[in-house]
Amino acid sequence: MPEHLRAPAPRCQVPPWPGGPLCYVERVEQDKKIVIVKTGEPVPPVLERRGHFADLIERTIGAAWRGGYATFDARTDDFPAPEGPGIAAFVITGSSANVPHREGWMLRAEAWLRDVVRAGTPTFGICFGHQILAQALGGEVIRNPRGREIGRIRVQRRADDPLFDGLPSSFETHATHIDTVGTLPEGARSLAFNELDDHQVIRFSNTCYGVQFHPEMDHDVIAGYIAWRREILEAEGLDVPALLARLAPDQLGTRTLLNFIEHIVERRARRTPSA
């Protein structure tokens, strides 16, 4: 594994191996890492106050994952193997970059992501991560003809899926994006939508999902995005005070990331213990 993926030992300690089935599961998780694929940074005020996307993602997952984490930068670092005994999953962050710009690092990332999905390694894309997965697998990402989506939004489910365990038929979450998946890859299924985006959640395979919203962003983070982009939003005719007034501490989109850990990552980790 490349040196930049060698993260410190997990903060949580587990009981000795002979402790029984639960202990076995915890030991398997401890030996594996969720690898966060960095594709950008939060806006400057959020980065300064709350940290990198990896920090937000790790705090959101919290106790749902007992293993470790590693991070690599898809823009500058070498890509790890698409599967391996020490890798539990990949989580692809958001970014201010635009998939339709087709930058060189994006093309390299897309080729690698095709190998990751083919290998069956659990993968979860957030916003830009959701979009680059769609582009990599044969879909098309475009500038959203319906305009920018930012703030607290309501998402409507199309179907049942383990990703929606414990969620109602519609739920509120936080989003900030101006591009959208215009065409689905072959075999992908759109699982949720709203009035501004037809594909808020996509299942690309049994182990690969993308969400257009940000399950890792609480109301403080999305408020920071709205404040940072105030002039742009006002120029586009959006009501910034109304956007801020809609924010609230609870956002159910977080549940999709936790369900991905519980139903996809942990289940696969138990089937394929580390060497």
Side-chain angles (χ1 to χ4, degrees), residues 23-198:
C23 185
Y24 169 80
V25 171
E26 292 182 340
R27 175 60 181 267
V28 167
E29 289 186 2
Q30 186 187 40
D31 290 343
K32 292 177 176 285
K33 293 182 174 66
I34 291 175
V35 180
I36 298 174
V37 184
K38 179 180 177 180
T39 63
E41 304 288 1
V43 296
V46 172
L47 177 61
E48 182 178 351
R49 289 188 299 105
R50 301 292 300 274
H52 297 265
F53 280 125
D55 299 314
L56 300 176
I57 290 167
E58 289 183 34
R59 284 196 292 266
T60 298
I61 292 173
W65 174 248
R66 293 177 288 266
Y69 293 90
T71 303
F72 80 94
D73 194 322
R75 300 165 298 182
T76 57
D77 293 337
D78 293 334
F79 292 98
E83 62 178 334
I87 296 174
F90 293 105
V91 177
I92 313 163
T93 73
S95 177
S96 61
N98 302 92
V99 172
H101 290 174
R102 316 304 294 134
E103 297 177 42
W105 70 267
M106 297 178 193
L107 302 180
R108 294 189 294 273
E110 289 169 18
W112 173 76
L113 285 169
R114 285 190 284 273
D115 290 338
V116 169
V117 176
R118 191 177 302 117
T121 304
T123 303
F124 189 89
I126 298 172
C127 195
F128 177 90
H130 161 91
Q131 294 169 6
I132 200 170
L133 277 168
Q135 188 78 36
L137 298 174
E140 184 183 18
V141 176
I142 60 173
R143 180 62 60 100
N144 193 341
R146 302 175 200 172
R148 184 187 301 273
E149 184 171 52
I150 188 168
R152 190 174 183 88
I153 67 169
R154 179 165 289 277
V155 172
Q156 180 71 42
R157 293 169 44 182
R158 295 184 193 274
D160 292 332
D161 190 90
L163 213 67
F164 298 139
D165 187 19
L167 284 172
S169 59
S170 71
F171 57 91
E172 293 193 340
T173 185
H174 298 142
T176 172
H177 67 106
I178 199 165
D179 294 331
T180 185
V181 177
T183 304
L184 289 173
E186 184 178 355
R189 183 175 182 188
S190 178
L191 299 177
F193 69 99
N194 69 359
E195 67 276 7
L196 284 180
D197 199 291
D198 291 334

Side-chain angles (χ1 to χ4, degrees), residues 217-228:
M217 287 189 179
D218 61 23
H219 67 295
D220 171 68
V221 171
I222 198 66
Y225 268 76
I226 294 170
W228 177 253

Side-chain angles (χ1 to χ4, degrees), residues 205-226:
S205 75
N206 289 336
T207 57
C208 180
Y209 289 82
V211 296
Q212 182 58 75
F213 49 85
H214 281 272
E216 84 286 14
M217 287 189 179
D218 61 23
H219 67 295
D220 171 68
V221 171
I222 198 66
Y225 268 76
I226 294 170

